[in-house]
């Protein structure tokens, strides 16, 4: 019987090539789209799930009130980890991680700048990063040990054995390779190519024991059976207790977040982690489900539309004794067979598209063909798709009454509302929602890109201060200016595109105790900050230590800081913090240093009493960029010969601030296009069948004088009505969803009526283009051929 069913299914596929092609193509595209999204989702939800002790590892966080708002953050003091490990018996181990440190590695004549992290020895036993060589229990026990990833070991030593080899770091200290670990997977929150012992950072003088200075991340491994809630209650006041004499920390709380949740739930609201990447995962899971449903709807619609063709087959089978259950099984078997064909093509498409899709989402994705679970899930996926696509047609077709269909009394439904019309409306409603979403995301990105960022990004370059640069800064600065490579130079605490530091506890004449909770972003300069950055002074002057030696304790405020502090005469203001008096010498127009979608926060630019990490150069506009960089490289190489000359264009770094939204917009456009394509395939199939089934009616109308335009309108209007209904349903849903999305941005667009008008027009034009071919073809057919038998 099964063999017979397969034969019938195959014959139906071959006999109806056009409809089979439409069904398989639509289902293949839908399955491929769904599979791509599911591969990405699997990568996201499995972040750091491979650690053996994952259920006992927690990230330590702070919670406090700033400017009347409760905030949470996962940066902690240096002293947090050893204190937790020593004072709380619930803690089995604790480790600090200070990532993003770049050092110059020298092996023989080879010099490479590499990025890695400082951490405690226990990190390697808390987390399950596999070692290919060495012992994770002892690899970081000594201050001059180093652990490399396989990729970095290969880069430094080639095919030679890296274990026990010496590496010179920053041309000063020798380190012994004591461990080689497998390259990090792409589904971990950590990003490093080497690990250095924490004790070495202490030897460099980088560490302090202040409970008020949050500079790194702390992870704790709780003992078996310890409750997170109970532990959080015990450590809640640890920072507050150590800073009891400072009322600023009277509301500080410490709590933990499970490692297994930290990646997906990184967005805090009112001091609690309630969202983050999980929102994107949920959104694209919904998109995947809808795309698959839309593809299945095509099968349902074409199967039920062509029901008259198989009505007699069902009637005869029932007359000779076939039960309804057997007929349902037969039709479901046909849909599952079709799903098998579609899956083969979908899998091939996924394999071809996966590298490009991985680049789009910023991940290296792959299919685990060697994992039996993949094939098990694939079978489940095929069966699910087959059942989803074939269930309604199976029950619909098997319900035919044999007496009616064999007497020729079978009639197709002409009701104003029938399941087929509802399915078409569902298809296009989702397509219209995605069209509207794509337009709004694109407009939001353009809106932020056109925002005045407050400084001139063009010809602005920054160079990290490393090696001998700090000691020879004045020589380097003077030569860059004298040789014409730059027209202005300043050193700063951070690149202008990034926040490195912030602080609170400031007071000034007329300030209150609550004002001490205002969090100021910190930058620094020696001179020519405004000139170099192309910023705008609105009051006073710039910091200039060379003209005004007393500027080491001077500061410049931005406009937001002046408003926040309610200063009527900023230039006469003295700010007090950390037992120092800082004199305001200028006010600069607000400029964007973080997200272009958010409001600019209050900023203080310090004089050179602060620390520095970066040099900014305003390149000479009289020269070409290449010539300026060549001159700059000569200067830096002359004074810092051990290090390669590395630089960053500020405009390129600033452009990266839009990457996440651009990625969302591109994905929305991609899946909107695929959704429209699948929907139009189904619409084309329905239009083809409608034209075929009404061919005699068209012939009669043409004989009676109907024009091609009249007949085309007749065959098209019903479909266009359905698309119009889809637009009316989709518009309020899209408006609500995108309003919620835009609500996450302070600087955002207003959704205009034209967005919906454009989306409606596009959907109508696309639909009309899809169905007009078949409608015009039917209208232009010779009526003699359709009426010759009448």
């Amino acid at each position: 019987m099964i063999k017979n069913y397969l034969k019938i299914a195959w014959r139906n596929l071959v006999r109806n090539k056009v409809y089979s092609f439409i069904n398989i193509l639509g289902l293949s595209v839908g399955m491929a789209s769904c599979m791509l999204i599911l591969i990405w989702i699997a990568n996201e939800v499995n972040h750091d799930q491979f650690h053996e002790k994952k259920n006992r590892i927690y990230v330590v966080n702070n919670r406090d009130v700033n400017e009347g708002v409760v905030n949470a953050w996962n940066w902690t003091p240096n002293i947090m980890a050893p204190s937790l490990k020593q004072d709380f018996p619930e803690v089995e181990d604790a480790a600090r991680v200070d990532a993003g440190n770049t050092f110059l590695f020298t092996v023989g004549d080879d010099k490479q700048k590499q990025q890695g992290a400082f951490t405690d020895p226990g990190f390697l036993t808390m987390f399950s990063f596999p070692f290919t060589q060495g012992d994770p229990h002892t690899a970081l026990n000594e201050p001059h040990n180093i652990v490399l990833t396989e990729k970095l070991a290969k880069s430094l030593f080639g095919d030679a054995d890296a274990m026990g080899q010496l590496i010179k770091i920053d041309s000063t200290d020798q380190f012994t390779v004591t461990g080689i670990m497998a390259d990090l997977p792409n589904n971990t929150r950590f990003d490093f190519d080497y690990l250095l012992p924490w004790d070495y950072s202490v030897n460099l003088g980088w560490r302090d024991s202040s409970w008020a200075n949050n500079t790194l991340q702390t992870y704790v491994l709780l003992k078996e059976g310890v409750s997170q809630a109970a532990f959080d209650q015990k450590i809640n006041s640890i920072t507050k207790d150590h800073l009891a004499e400072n009322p600023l920390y009277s509301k500080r709380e410490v709590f933990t977040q499970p490692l297994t949740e930290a990646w997906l739930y990184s967005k805090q609201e009112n001091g609690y982690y309630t969202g983050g990447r999980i929102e994107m995962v949920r959104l694209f899971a919904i998109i995947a489900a809808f795309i698959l449903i839309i593809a299945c709807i095509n099968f349902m619609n074409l199967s039920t539309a062509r029901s008259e063709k198989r009505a007699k087959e069902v009637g005869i089978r029932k007359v000779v004794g076939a039960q309804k259950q057997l007929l349902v099984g037969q039709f479901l078997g046909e849909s599952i067979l079709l799903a098998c064909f579609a899956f083969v093509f979908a899998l091939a498409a996924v394999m071809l598209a996966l590298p490009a899709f991985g680049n789009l989402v910023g991940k290296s994705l792959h299919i685990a063909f060697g994992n039996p679970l993949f094939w098990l899930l694939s079978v489940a996926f095929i069966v699910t798709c087959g059942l989803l696509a074939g269930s309604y047609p199976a029950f619909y077709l098997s319900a035919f009454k044999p007496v009616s269909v064999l007497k020729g009394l079978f009639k197709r439904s002409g009701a104003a509302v029938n399941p087929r019309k509802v399915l078409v409306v569902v298809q296009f409603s989702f397509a219209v929602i995605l069209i509207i979403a794509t337009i709004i995301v694109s407009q939001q990105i353009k809106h932020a890109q056109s925002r005045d960022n407050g400084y001139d990004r063009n010809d602005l370059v920054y160079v990290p201060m490393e090696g001998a640069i700090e000691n020879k800064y004045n020589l380097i600065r003077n030569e860059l200016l004298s040789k014409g490579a730059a027209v202005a130079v300043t050193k700063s605490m951070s690149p202008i595109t990034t926040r490195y530091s912030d602080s609170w506890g400031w007071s000034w004449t007329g300030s209150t105790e609550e004002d001490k909770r205002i969090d100021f972003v910190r930058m620094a300069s020696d001179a020519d900050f405004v000139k170099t950055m192309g910023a705008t002074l609105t009051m006073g002057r710039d910091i200039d230590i060379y003209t005004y030696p007393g500027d080491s304790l001077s500061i410049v405020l931005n406009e937001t800081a002046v408003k926040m502090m309610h200063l009527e005469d900023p230039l006469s203001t003295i700010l007090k913090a950390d037992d120092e008096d800082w004199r305001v010498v200028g006010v600069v127009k607000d400029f964007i240093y973080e997200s272009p979608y958010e409001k600019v926060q209050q900023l203080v630019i310090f004089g050179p009493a602060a620390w520095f990490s970066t040099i900014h150069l305003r390149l000479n506009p009289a020269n070409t960029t290449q010539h300026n960089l060549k001159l700059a490289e000569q200067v830096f190489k002359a004074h810092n010969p051990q290090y390669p000359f590395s630089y960053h264009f500020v405009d390129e770094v600033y452009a990266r601030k839009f990457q996440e939204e651009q990625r969302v917009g591109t994905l929305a456009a991609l899946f909107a296009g695929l959704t429209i394509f699948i929907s139009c395939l189904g619409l084309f199939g329905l239009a083809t069948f409608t034209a075929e089934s009404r061919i005699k009616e068209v012939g009669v109308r043409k004989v009676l004088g109907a024009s091609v335009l009249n007949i085309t309108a007749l065959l098209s209007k019903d479909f266009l009505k359905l698309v119009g209904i889809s637009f009316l349903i989709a518009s309020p849903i899209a408006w609500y969803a995108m309003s919620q999305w835009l609500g996450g941005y302070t600087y955002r667009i207003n959704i205009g009526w034209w967005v919906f008008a454009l989306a409606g027009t596009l959907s109508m034009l696309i639909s009309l283009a899809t169905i007009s071919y078949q409608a015009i073809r039917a209208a232009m057919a010779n009526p003699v051929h359709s009426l010759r038998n009448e």
Side-chain angles (χ1 to χ4, degrees), residues 86 107 118 140 242 258 294 344 356 405 440 450 482 486 490 684 694 778:
Q86 177 180 327
V107 177
F118 287 105
L140 292 176
H242 282 91
I294 285 171
V344 172
V405 296
I440 291 174
S450 64
S482 64
T490 188
F684 181 82
R694 300 179 70 175

Side-chain angles (χ1 to χ4, degrees), residues 506-546:
W506 295 82
S507 63
W508 57 92
T509 302
S511 65
T512 65
E513 282 299 312
E514 194 59 30
D515 286 333
K516 289 184 177 181
R517 291 188 169 274
I518 297 176
D519 189 30
F520 289 87
V521 177
R522 305 199 307 169
M523 286 191 175
S525 170
D526 62 323
D528 289 337
F529 182 91
V530 172
K531 182 180 179 181
T532 305
M533 304 302 183
T536 304
L537 269 175
T538 60
M539 193 179 298
R541 62 174 176 82
D542 198 358
I543 291 171
D544 188 348
I545 192 66
Y546 307 105

Side-chain angles (χ1 to χ4, degrees), residues 144-284:
H144 286 81
N145 290 356
I146 186 171
V147 173
L148 308 177
T149 60
E150 288 183 311
K151 180 178 69 175
L152 181 54
K154 178 81 171 177
S155 176
L156 291 171
F157 300 103
D159 295 328
D161 186 2
M163 283 294 291
Q165 298 277 12
L166 294 178
I167 299 173
K168 185 182 288 186
I169 290 184
D170 274 3
S171 305
T172 54
D173 295 302
Q174 295 276 5
F175 283 77
T176 302
V177 179
T178 53
I180 307 293
M181 61 194 307
D183 293 335
L184 270 59
N186 65 2
N187 60 342
T188 177
R189 72 199 317 254
F190 299 103
D191 182 17
F192 55 79
D193 287 317
Y194 63 84
L195 293 174
L196 287 172
W198 189 262
D199 288 346
Y200 178 64
S201 68
V202 175
N203 294 343
L204 292 175
W206 288 12
R207 306 304 170 192
D208 60 51
S209 57
S210 170
W211 281 90
N213 192 13
N214 298 292
T215 58
L216 51 93
Q217 292 181 318
T218 299
Y219 299 87
V220 293
L221 175 66
L222 299 184
K223 293 179 179 177
E224 293 279 2
V226 173
S227 162
Q228 180 197 0
F231 179 69
D232 280 0
Q233 191 172 4
K234 288 190 69 173
I235 67 171
N236 179 272
S237 62
I238 183 172
T239 301
K240 182 166 51 179
D241 293 342
H242 282 91
L243 297 171
E245 74 286 352
N246 191 335
L248 274 177
Y249 298 90
S250 61
K251 299 179 182 179
R252 178 67 54 88
E253 298 178 359
V254 176
F255 67 100
T256 62
Q257 181 186 25
L259 176 71
T260 51
E261 297 178 5
W263 176 255
L264 294 177
Y265 295 88
S266 58
K267 180 182 176 183
Q268 67 87 29
E269 188 172 346
N270 296 321
Y272 294 90
Y273 293 107
T274 57
R277 296 186 70 87
I278 187 65
E279 296 165 358
M280 190 69 70
V281 168
R282 289 169 180 161
L283 171 63
F284 280 96

Side-chain angles (χ1 to χ4, degrees), residues 35 98 108 116 118 191 264 327 358 372 389 419 569 608 615 634 692 744 780:
M35 288 166 66
D98 181 8
F118 287 105
D191 182 17
L264 294 177
L327 291 172
D569 184 12
I615 297 175
Q634 291 172 359
E692 289 179 358
M780 295 182 68

